[in-house]
């Protein structure tokens, strides 16, 4: 039976009210938008806690909410490493070490910093790839969300897509980055307040944390009952973060080894994302002064550390509930497409009781998913006793699907526990996360386009008003482009995979360039540029020659022959990043030593660590100093890890 | 100003859910709408109060 959530007036009222408010913010802030600096950088006037929450929220797209719950179900508490290993240390590093250079160099964007530190080539490379990537990223997430809403609520795909985009467009257009940041704060509270009751209720229902733990222990020993995995694991595989990881890649459901987790995810990927992605760095750069800018990622790290409760726990609870079969709950099945139904329904109608097994196999092939044979047999029996309607057969087939649609996990819990009213709140929270992610992408895109592409190469030396108009136009263009991308994504799944892959190649080595550029004055622009290119090439080559278990050579890698096989796609990904980083790091190092410096020490003042006068903390209160906050955060993070060891 | 906007939004949604709940008692026999609505209301008012004090 497909999940179908029915909304009532009150739910729509909450949703509508929320949209009204975010648009209202845009209009209220319109009068402050006088120069392009106001529009793109909020005039650097925002307090730290606001930019901090916006920093978090911009990253918290709908895909993150949905995807983390899905991973929570698939991998259990190990998913927390995406937060505790894959985010907190990088955020602390950004706040303490890197923010002074971004903020102090008066660069207006990350690519512009690269230009100041190195030269135009690398800025061009970075800004172009970033601009294209943000558009595609927001297109992909729009597609995913609109699909989900369509499946679960029966909302029209096009309508939900266009309405959400229109809301985002309105407030970004009116209030620029400022309104994006303030609405992101609003969205942050909305997400927390919308999902907290769902988590509370479902946890209470399953009998609390201890009960959940013992249930998940049973799941881990026998994950095949829920079609989670064909292997079996130690009882604590779903409920402890490090023990299964230390036991090696075959002992945990992620299929990850310790080194690739800590170095690949924890160092290369996470530092690469949090410290160089303009989408998040832009929030910190909008802060009102250096102290506030440095505190931004540190403040964001606090809720980030606690977020697993909200996004990963529901996935784990859902698995527990499905295992005990509480009130008939099951993990949502993968949806069957319309075209598959038209093939499968006649098969059931024509079938006789006797050959249920063969029919079941045929239906399963027509649908392209694993089906439960007894359920299909029962369906055939019911149909031959008394002919069923088309719709009844369809829901029967859907109910028999064994494969899980993990992305639907969070919504299935919402549906199970929320009465009308709260339901509206939870759905609004989901939409809020979607909009905050999209607004983040759009504001980062329009800034990079206007400052780093348009002003730098197409039309330099125009008036400020000219760039402001350009920014507004490009906001509209950016949103239209992302809508176009989401249609592309809905029609050509493979095309999207390829694009994401290519950007993975570009991003993996980027942090090596930054870390060398910021902390080693000897790094030359030749070194940085060719090192980055080589790193990108290396990751492409790595991908072409490795494969994850169970994948055929092709888009998942291995098309130039298979030299190494990884236990999971995730492991392949982490290793790819590691290799790309190392290649870029060492090549940049060698080329820099072999080439002449083009920038003198004087040019690099404020851009490189050793050439910048040591920053004196302006805060008098010791507890507001970034270094102190950073240490506290790391200690708390370690404690969390030990608790859930 | 932002603070009061958050406050107002949550307070209003709190009112909404509070008024509407008596009839829908579902989820574990707790009237979540009422309790959560009240909580949101308090949270919203707190935000409003903080905003006033600042400006």
């Amino acid at each position: 039976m497909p999940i179908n959530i029915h909304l009532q007036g009150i739910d729509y009222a909450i949703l509508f009210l929320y949209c009204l408010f975010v648009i209202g913010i845009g209009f209220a802030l319109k009068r402050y938008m006088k120069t392009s600096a106001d529009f793109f950088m909020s005039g650097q006037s925002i307090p730290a806690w606001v930019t901090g929450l916006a920093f978090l929220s911009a990253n918290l797209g709908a895909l993150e909410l949905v995807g983390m719950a899905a991973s929570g179900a698939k991998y259990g508490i190990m998913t927390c490493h995406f937060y505790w290993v894959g985010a907190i240390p990088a955020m602390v590093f950004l706040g303490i070490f890197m923010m002074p250079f971004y903020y102090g160099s008066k660069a207006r964007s990350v690519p512009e910093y690269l230009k100041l530190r190195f030269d135009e080539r690398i800025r061009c490379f970075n800004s172009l790839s970033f601009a294209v990537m943000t558009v595609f990223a927001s297109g992909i997430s729009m597609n995913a969300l609109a699909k989900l809403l369509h499946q679960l609520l029966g909302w029209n795909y096009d309508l939900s897509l266009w309405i959400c985009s229109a809301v985002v467009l309105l407030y970004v257009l009116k209030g620029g980055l400022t309104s994006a940041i303030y609405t992101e704060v609003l969205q942050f509270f909305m997400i927390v307040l919308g999902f907290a009751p769902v988590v509370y209720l479902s946890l209470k229902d399953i009998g609390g944390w201890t009960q959940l733990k013992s249930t998940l222990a049973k799941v881990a020993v026998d994950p095949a009952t829920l079609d989670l995995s064909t292997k079996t694991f130690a009882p604590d595989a779903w409920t402890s973060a490090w023990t299964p990881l230390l036991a090696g890649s075959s002992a945990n459901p992620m299929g990850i080894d310790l080194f690739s987790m800590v170095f690949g995810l924890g160092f290369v990927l996470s530092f690469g994302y949090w410290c160089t992605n303009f989408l998040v760095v832009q929030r910190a750069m909008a802060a009102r002064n250096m102290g506030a800018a440095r505190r931004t990622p540190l403040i964001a790290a606090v809720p980030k550390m606690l977020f697993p409760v909200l996004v990963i726990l529901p996935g784990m609870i859902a698995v527990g509930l499905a295992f005990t079969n509480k009130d008939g709950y099951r993990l949502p099945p993968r949806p069957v497409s319309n075209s598959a139904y038209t093939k499968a329904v006649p098969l059931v109608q024509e079938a006789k009781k006797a050959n249920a097994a063969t029919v079941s196999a045929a239906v399963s092939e027509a649908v392209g998913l694993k089906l439960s044979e007894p359920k299909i047999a029962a369906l055939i029996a019911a149909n031959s006793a008394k002919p069923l309607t088309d719709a009844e057969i369809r829901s029967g087939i859907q109910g028999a699907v064994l494969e899980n649609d993990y992305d639907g996990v969070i919504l299935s819990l919402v549906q199970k526990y929320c009465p009308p009213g709260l339901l509206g709140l939870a759905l609004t929270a989901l939409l809020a996360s979607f909009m905050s992610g999209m607004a983040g992408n759009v504001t980062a895109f329009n800034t990079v386009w206007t400052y780093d592409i348009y002003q730098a190469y197409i039309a330099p030396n125009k008036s400020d008003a000219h760039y402001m108009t350009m920014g507004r136009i490009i906001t509209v263009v950016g949103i239209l482009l992302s809508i176009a991308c989401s249609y592309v994504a809905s029609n050509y799944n493979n095309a999207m995979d390829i694009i994401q892959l290519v950007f993975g190649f570009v991003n993996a080595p980027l942090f090596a360039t930054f870390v060398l550029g910021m902390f080693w004055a000897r790094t030359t622009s030749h070194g940085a540029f060719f090192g980055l290119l080589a790193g990108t090439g290396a990751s492409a080559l790595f991908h072409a020659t490795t494969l994850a278990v169970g994948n055929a050579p092709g888009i998942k890698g291995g098309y130039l022959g298979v030299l190494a096989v990884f236990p999971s796609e995730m492991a392949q990904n982490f290793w790819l990043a590691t290799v790309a980083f190392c290649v870029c790091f060492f090549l940049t190092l060698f080329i820099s030593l072999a080439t002449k410096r083009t920038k003198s020490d004087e040019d690099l003042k404020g851009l490189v660590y050793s050439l910048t006068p040591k920053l004196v903390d302006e805060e008098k209160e010791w507890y507001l100093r970034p270094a102190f906050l950073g240490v506290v955060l790391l200690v708390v993070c370690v404690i969390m890890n030990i608790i859930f060891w | 100003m932002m603070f009061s906007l958050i406050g107002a939004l949550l307070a209003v949604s709190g009112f909404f859910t509070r008024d509407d709940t008596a009839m829908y008692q579902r989820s574990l026999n707790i009237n979540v709408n009422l309790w959560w609505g009240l909580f949101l209301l308090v949270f919203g008012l707190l935000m409003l109060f903080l905003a006033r004090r600042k400006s």
Side-chain angles (χ1 to χ4, degrees), chain A residues 49 182 193 415 417 420 422, chain B residues 2-3 12 24 26-27 33 36:
Chain A
W49 74 268
Y182 278 115
L193 295 173
Q415 181 215 19
Y417 291 109
L422 202 58
Chain B
M2 179 57 208
F3 309 85
V12 171
Y24 313 118
R26 180 156 132 185
S27 52
N33 270 344
W36 200 246

